[in-house]
Structures are given as structure tokens and as C-alpha cells.
Amino acid sequence: MRILHTSDWHIGRTFHGNSTMDALAEVLAALTVQVREHSVDVVIIAGDVFDSAAPAGAAYTLLGDALLALHETGATVIVTSGNHDSAARLGFQARLLRDGIHVLTDPLGIGTPITLADADGPVHFYGIPYLEPAIVRQHWEGVDLRTQAQTLAHAMDLVRAGMQEHTGRSVAIAHCFSAGVDATIGLEREVRQGGLDVVPLSVFDGPDYVALGHIHGRQQISDRVRYSGAPLHYSFGEQHKPRGSWLVDLDATGLVRVDWLDLPVPRRLVTLTGTLDEILAPENVTAHADDWVCAIYTDALAQTEPMRRLRERYPHCAMVQHEPTERAESIERSYVDRLRGAATDPERIEAFLEHVRSGHGATEREGELIREVLDDRVRADALI
């Protein structure tokens, strides 16, 4: 049996204020072509199908179109909910979907598999929706479920109990933060509390393959426990991480092979660092005019309207940061002390500028403007 493992579609997510719907539709269309070309039997979507619990109507349309296209390849589709999804809203569609598309969001169904068969016999798929301990502990009285690690461990116990009742090969699907993974800082919504909710690898013992979601970059925790990552870049922090999915083959004895399938990147992400003039240099513009750009300019002083200037050359500049490479030596006196030592208005303004500019005072031209403004004020006061 051949399985395609994907996750974290995040339909409806924006990228620095820009819609990603068209780009995601393009990538999912390419994924569907891969499913057909590689004769995939089962497509797994391991949570975070939507980016929010209350997605817009267009997000439902994109999901419906994608699921229908995958189904038309002849593959069975199995979907679980993630921490961004509303299990109730996602699960509402389950009964409305045609045979061959399964949406698993009910915690009470964890031990009951979706069973499919190939020439070597049955393969049992156990879907574990994202489990918030405070919400799901009501379902299992007498079980200590304070953390996600405890809750997922209990869920995997239910999976292993189901495996005893249903002999044959098995696949588990979960959405969590596993030990040993490298997260993209600021991207994956935290589901950890002081490290208590990191799920040990041993929790996933048993199934032939475990398809995980939540981490946006591909990760191999072991030969049979993996994250596929998101199909689209959603942060500059993940710009160097490949986008794609895992192609998983099971034979009569279990897991036999796992290959990586790259997905296209509709628009590359690049971070440009240097002075603003260096970033705006013709050679940079020629190379990156069509990319999403994060500009980190290193001029000693903040520049005037940097985003406007950047977008004149880079239409898709999404982010600009000022990070001076050389900072003036800090002045030991506090801002209040410096003000107390300033006897004139120009000295007070200079103290303020040094404070907010990491020690840099007014430039020569700024000094002229300050003197002109102060002179105008003196003349105005004289006329009162």
C-alpha cells in the first residue's frame, strides 16, 4: 500500500498581510498530480487543515475542491484535526462527504480504525485529533490527563488496544510536539507548557508508521515516525526548509520504504542584509524582484520610509527590519541624568536623539533644521 503523508495546510493563513489562497491552491494541485502519478492509495492530512477555528467561506471552498480532486485520483483521503482547527466545524463535514474521504475529529473514535485492504491484507489507520487535555479529560474518567504528553500517551494506548483487536499492519496519525523536533520560532502555535507537553518518541511504539503534524518543516524522528511539514512557506524563518510530503510504502511485513516528494514553491522567500543602498543595488533587484523579500538594513541610523523605497524595487517586499551593525557605545548616564545636564533646548534634543538612536545624535543637516525651528519659535514668542 502506498501512502502520501501531508499536513498543516493552514487554509486561510496570510503571509505578512497577503493572502496565500491562490498559492496554496497551486501547490495542492501539484500535490494531486503527484498522487496520480505515483499511484497513491491513501492520502493522510495530519491536522491544521484550516488556519483558524472559524475559517472564511473561501477556505471551505478550497478544501472541498482539494479533497474532491484527491478523491478523483482513486485515492482514499484521511483527515484529522489540528490545534488550529475547530474539531466541531471540521467534523461537521464528515457525514456530508462521499465514501473514500474520512474526517476524524472525535476523541472517542481513536481506537476504531479506518480499515483498507491491499493484496497483502488489511491496513488499519488510527486518527488521533488534536487533544486539549482540559477539554477531552471528561471522556476518560480516572485517567490523569493534565498535559498533552499524558493525553497523547493515553490516546496511543487506545490505538494499541485497537491494534490487538484488528490484526494486520497499522498507521497512526497525530498532531503534537514530539521530542527531538526543531520548531520554527514564532510560527507553530505553542502546545507546550514548560516542556511537560513534549511527547517522548516511545509513546509512538507499535504502528508500522506514524504520520505527525504541527511542525512546519519536515522532520524524521525515526524511520517510522515523521513530520511532513507544511506544503507552503508561511514564515521567513522557514525559507530554507523544503516543501513537500512523504511517500510511504508498506509491504506484507510493514514499512518498507519512505521517499520525499518536493512540491513547487510559487514564490521564493529571501532575506537580504546590508545597508539600504546595498539592498537596493541593481544586482540584488535583478535577482530577487519577483521574490518575497525580508530586508534587514544595517545603516547606523533609521532611514526615511524604507518600506516605500524597497517596494519601488521589490513589489513583494513583506518585511523590513533595522539592525545596525555598529552601535555607538552606550552612555552610562540615564536619560534623566542626561536631560538634567542639558542647559539649552538644542542640548535637550541632542540628548533625546542619542537616547532613541543608540548613542547617535543629530546629523549636520538635522542640526541645521533643529536650529531653524528653534529660531522660528523664538521669533514667534517675541511677537506675542
Side-chain angles (χ1 to χ4, degrees):
M1 185 170 289
R2 176 161 284 179
I3 302 163
L4 186 105
H5 167 198
T6 179
S7 73
D8 295 273
W9 288 6
H10 287 278
I11 302 174
R13 193 183 189 107
T14 58
F15 180 76
H16 295 277
N18 300 277
S19 172
T20 62
M21 296 286 279
D22 290 343
L24 183 57
E26 178 183 338
V27 171
L28 294 181
L31 183 144
T32 301
V33 170
Q34 291 178 341
V35 168
R36 181 177 289 106
E37 290 179 344
H38 290 275
S39 300
V40 171
D41 300 300
V42 183
V43 176
I44 290 173
I45 308 171
D48 279 356
V49 178
F50 293 123
D51 188 58
S52 71
Y60 284 102
T61 300
L62 178 54
L63 175 61
D65 291 345
L67 294 180
L68 180 60
L70 290 170
H71 181 266
E72 289 178 345
T73 68
T76 297
V77 183
I78 301 177
V79 184
T80 60
S81 53
N83 59 304
H84 279 253
D85 299 308
S86 163
R89 284 189 173 91
L90 190 60
F92 175 75
Q93 299 182 94
R95 295 185 181 181
L96 306 178
L97 297 172
R98 63 193 65 196
D99 291 340
I101 302 177
H102 306 273
V103 180
L104 309 179
T105 62
D106 184 2
L108 296 180
I110 289 173
T112 303
I114 300 296
T115 300
L116 305 173
D118 61 9
D120 296 315
V123 179
H124 308 291
F125 293 83
Y126 295 88
I128 303 174
Y130 172 72
L131 302 173
E132 184 61 47
I135 296 175
V136 301
R137 66 168 63 107
Q138 61 177 319
H139 298 307
W140 300 295
E141 293 184 7
V143 182
D144 187 16
L145 302 179
R146 293 176 293 105
T147 70
Q148 269 213 324
Q150 292 173 328
T151 306
L152 196 55
H154 178 65
M156 283 301 300
D157 286 341
L158 297 176
V159 168
R160 284 184 282 269
M163 290 170 58
Q164 292 181 354
E165 296 181 11
H166 302 85
T167 58
R169 296 157 293 168
S170 59
V171 174
I173 310 162
H175 195 88
C176 66
F177 195 101
S178 174
V181 302
D182 178 23
T184 303
I185 297 199
L187 183 63
E188 291 97 8
R189 181 182 296 169
E190 276 292 348
V191 294
R192 297 172 295 166
Q193 296 177 359
L196 292 176
D197 285 350
V198 175
V199 181
L201 177 60
S202 59
V203 166
F204 302 112
D205 288 348
D208 294 284
Y209 183 77
V210 180
L212 296 180
H214 182 57
I215 301 302
H216 284 204
R218 74 176 183 189
Q219 306 265 343
Q220 178 179 336
I221 311 304
S222 73
D223 287 343
R224 60 181 190 82
V225 182
R226 300 173 187 244
Y227 288 91
S228 65
L232 197 65
H233 289 115
Y234 289 114
S235 165
F236 283 104
E238 55 183 345
Q239 66 189 63
H240 301 300
K241 298 179 180 180
R243 303 291 88 172
S245 54
W246 293 112
L247 190 65
V248 181
D249 286 328
L250 303 180
D251 66 4
T253 62
L255 182 66
V256 63
R257 179 170 179 170
V258 182
D259 295 306
W260 176 256
L261 296 181
D262 282 308
L263 283 168
V265 177
R267 191 181 304 284
R268 295 183 307 167
L269 280 68
V270 63
T271 298
L272 303 178
T273 303
T275 66
L276 193 57
D277 286 341
E278 290 171 345
I279 293 173
L280 293 170
E283 57 270 24
N284 272 334
V285 174
T286 299
H288 302 294
D290 293 328
D291 299 341
W292 287 119
V293 171
C294 170
I296 301 176
Y297 72 94
T298 58
D299 302 70
L301 299 179
Q303 299 297 294
T304 303
E305 296 185 303
M307 181 61 87
R308 179 189 61 78
R309 294 171 61 187
L310 286 161
R311 284 186 173 169
E312 288 176 352
R313 305 284 185 89
Y314 302 101
H316 307 290
C317 183
M319 187 176 181
V320 59
Q321 297 177 359
H322 180 216
E323 296 183 7
T325 53
E326 295 182 5
R327 296 183 180 274
E329 294 183 3
S330 61
I331 301 174
E332 293 184 358
R333 290 185 304 160
S334 70
Y335 178 47
V336 172
D337 289 337
R338 293 203 301 273
L339 282 180
R340 286 173 179 167
T344 65
D345 285 343
E347 290 176 350
R348 295 186 185 96
I349 294 172
E350 183 72 8
F352 171 76
L353 291 176
E354 289 178 351
H355 175 68
V356 298
R357 289 177 168 180
S358 301
H360 292 281
T363 65
E364 182 178 348
R365 176 55 182 153
E366 288 171 341
E368 293 174 0
L369 291 173
I370 291 169
R371 287 190 292 273
E372 289 177 9
V373 170
L374 293 176
D375 288 345
D376 288 344
R377 176 188 169 188
V378 170
R379 285 191 290 268
D381 289 345
L383 296 175
I384 295 176

